[in-house]
Amino acid sequence: MRLIVLAAVSLLAVVTAGCTNETLDSFDKVDVDISKVSSKTGYQLSPAVLSKFSKMNIDRSSPIMLRILKEEGRLEVWKADRSNRFQMVRNYKICAWSGKLGPKTKEGDRQAPEGFYPLSRGQMNPNSSYYLAINTGFPNTYDRANRASGTNLMIHGACSSSGCYSMTDEQMLEIFAFARDAFDGGQKAVQLQAFPFRMTAENMARHRDNPNIEFWKMLKVGWDHFEITKRPPEVNVCEGKYVFNQQADKPFSPAGACPAMTTPSSLDVALSSYNKTYATAYAKAMSKYQGTVWIEPSEAQRKAIVADQRKGRELAYAPTGNSLDAGKLMTQQEIEAQKRKAEEAEKRKLEAEERAKQAVEQARLDAEQKKVKEAEDLAADVAAEKAQKQAHGAGALPVPEENPGVTVVEKPEKKPFWKLWAAKEEQPAKAAPVAEASQQAGEAKADAGQQAQKEARNPATAASAEKAKKPVDAAGTQPVPEENPAVEVVEQAPKKPFWKFWQK
């Protein structure tokens, strides 16, 4: 037992020594000029990197492991040394990752995967539209057991993400070379560990209210195993959960019940000591964060803090900042105040929208009333014009006014048929127009003259004829029209009736 404890203490000592490498700023620098690279897939790691390997007792073709930390925005490359313990050789700043902290669950949610993913040589894509790419293999066994969906989730270049982890082209060129050399050295699968953040006691306490906390506690077991052993854990899935470094006499079924499992004794002892230290640190962190809540930023908020990095770049270049810089730790009182402020802002917004809606409706009603008023005014104008015309004697049909420049020649009245044999008067060629009364008087006079001649030949009617020549006074029955001095009437001798043609 004492030897096991000593072995566990030795493992913890290795953990402490290995962590010091993570603070080296030089791990984030890529000394490569892409314009001078003739072959993306044939690129060889720089002499500076190889020199670092030599100092760390690492062979160029030894196995590697990739670890992603979303919140910090980091991608780490770990490589096995000659004692088969992994040391970090690169710590890149992730250029862009989409969504928020938490696992990917369905196609189109813009979430980047979290979990443990084995990468094979066949998942490396030298012909990617994003310079170079390595497929994460999402969905893995755990994702499928939990009915997660999604395709083509990559680690790639171009610094543009929609559910992927995107690096710069220079970074991707070097990551691709690390993986190629490891596969060439005989590694069958490179383990990708994707975490929401460093699974420290303080970070777990800070995110204790996140709805994904139970999923993260499960991932933390795998984190702890690697931190203790500095070797990628053996990963299996049963009952829809990850299990790490478990020995079982039956195969694991991802959706089925977990078989009877045991943890290697040396690892179990190391875990016991590790967990005691963690519990103390967690209690201290809980005291520190008591009454506070971590407000995780959105993707847009993360982009805002690095917006100046896009200047002078292509439109496709879309870096996202890390959540630590864009997030915020708030007290419950601050959250309530912010909530009230947000509610008041929302209320003002709704009121403004309602006022705008009412203004639009009022404008519509005013426009309709204006149209009605215009129609009424038009109808009133038409009625007034019609009434004015009627007042001036205009009826339904227009009555033309007399034109003083046109002479109207009145046709003589047709005589009854019994007067067809009576003598016709010759009208003067250019007689001036006379009034109707004067014309009738002339005709009456001519008829009287003819009648007088006729009766003159008849002695019996002479007396009557003589009487007819005399004017009738006011007491008489027939008025005698006066002669019109303006009209010259030419009397013609009456024609004899046809029966008098034989009389002499």
Side-chain angles (χ1 to χ4, degrees), residues 208-271:
R208 66 192 181 280
D209 296 320
N210 192 290
N212 296 299
I213 190 64
E214 293 303 320
F215 172 72
W216 294 338
K217 287 179 179 179
M218 177 178 60
L219 297 186
K220 181 182 176 299
V221 176
W223 169 281
D224 293 343
H225 283 216
F226 178 74
E227 287 297 299
I228 291 172
T229 65
K230 282 296 183 286
R231 297 174 183 172
E234 181 181 345
V235 181
N236 283 292
V237 179
C238 61
E239 298 179 3
K241 298 178 182 179
Y242 282 113
V243 292
F244 304 95
N245 292 325
Q246 294 299 300
Q247 297 174 343
D249 54 0
K250 292 183 179 180
F252 290 91
S253 174
C258 291
M261 301 179 294
T262 58
T263 304
S265 58
S266 59
L267 178 59
D268 192 43
V269 171
L271 282 171

Side-chain angles (χ1 to χ4, degrees), residues 6-64:
L6 290 175
V9 173
S10 176
L11 284 172
L12 289 174
V14 171
V15 171
T16 305
C19 291
T20 59
N21 291 333
E22 298 183 18
T23 61
L24 299 179
D25 293 337
S26 61
F27 279 18
D28 191 29
K29 301 186 183 302
V30 179
D31 50 351
V32 57
D33 184 355
I34 286 184
S35 63
K36 296 180 180 179
V37 175
S38 58
S39 172
K40 293 186 294 183
T41 58
Y43 171 76
Q44 301 298 312
L45 295 172
S46 69
V49 173
L50 297 178
S51 176
K52 183 186 297 185
F53 287 172
S54 179
K55 293 178 181 179
M56 299 173 70
N57 200 28
I58 295 174
D59 295 327
R60 175 178 174 176
S61 59
S62 67
I64 66 168

Side-chain angles (χ1 to χ4, degrees), residues 22 45 73 81 110 129 137 150 201 217 280 285 287 308 321 325 380 390 396 409 421 445 461 504:
E22 298 183 18
L45 295 172
D81 60 19
R110 290 186 59 81
S129 300
K217 287 179 179 179
T280 302
S287 176
D308 59 332
D325 293 338
Q390 291 177 349
V409 178
W421 293 276
K445 185 176 181 181
T461 60
K504 292 183 180 179

Side-chain angles (χ1 to χ4, degrees), residues 158-177:
C159 191
S160 178
S161 174
S162 182
C164 299
Y165 293 104
S166 185
M167 316 300 292
T168 64
D169 292 348
E170 292 83 359
Q171 291 171 337
M172 199 62 213
L173 185 70
E174 199 169 80
I175 294 169
F176 207 84

Side-chain angles (χ1 to χ4, degrees), residues 348-381:
R348 289 193 297 270
K349 178 183 176 183
L350 293 175
E351 290 174 349
E353 291 176 351
E354 183 62 25
R355 287 194 298 270
K357 183 179 179 181
Q358 291 176 356
V360 171
E361 180 64 18
Q362 186 62 45
R364 184 186 67 80
L365 293 175
D366 292 344
E368 290 181 354
Q369 291 176 358
K370 184 178 179 181
K371 288 181 180 179
V372 171
K373 183 66 169 56
E374 290 174 350
E376 290 175 349
D377 291 346
L378 180 61
D381 291 343

Side-chain angles (χ1 to χ4, degrees), residues 184-224:
D184 287 347
Q187 188 173 5
K188 300 300 182 182
V190 173
Q191 187 174 96
L192 167 64
Q193 301 176 0
F195 294 103
F197 42 76
R198 296 188 185 280
M199 311 298 276
T200 63
E202 184 162 324
N203 285 342
M204 293 297 287
R206 181 164 52 89
H207 288 284
R208 66 192 181 280
D209 296 320
N210 192 290
N212 296 299
I213 190 64
E214 293 303 320
F215 172 72
W216 294 338
K217 287 179 179 179
M218 177 178 60
L219 297 186
K220 181 182 176 299
V221 176
W223 169 281
D224 293 343

Side-chain angles (χ1 to χ4, degrees), residues 381-415:
D381 291 343
V382 172
E385 184 179 357
K386 183 176 180 182
Q388 186 178 11
K389 289 182 178 180
Q390 291 177 349
H392 287 78
L397 294 176
V399 178
E401 298 180 358
E402 295 182 359
N403 190 342
V406 178
T407 302
V408 179
V409 178
E410 297 182 356
K411 294 182 179 181
E413 182 182 358
K414 290 185 178 181
K415 295 181 179 181

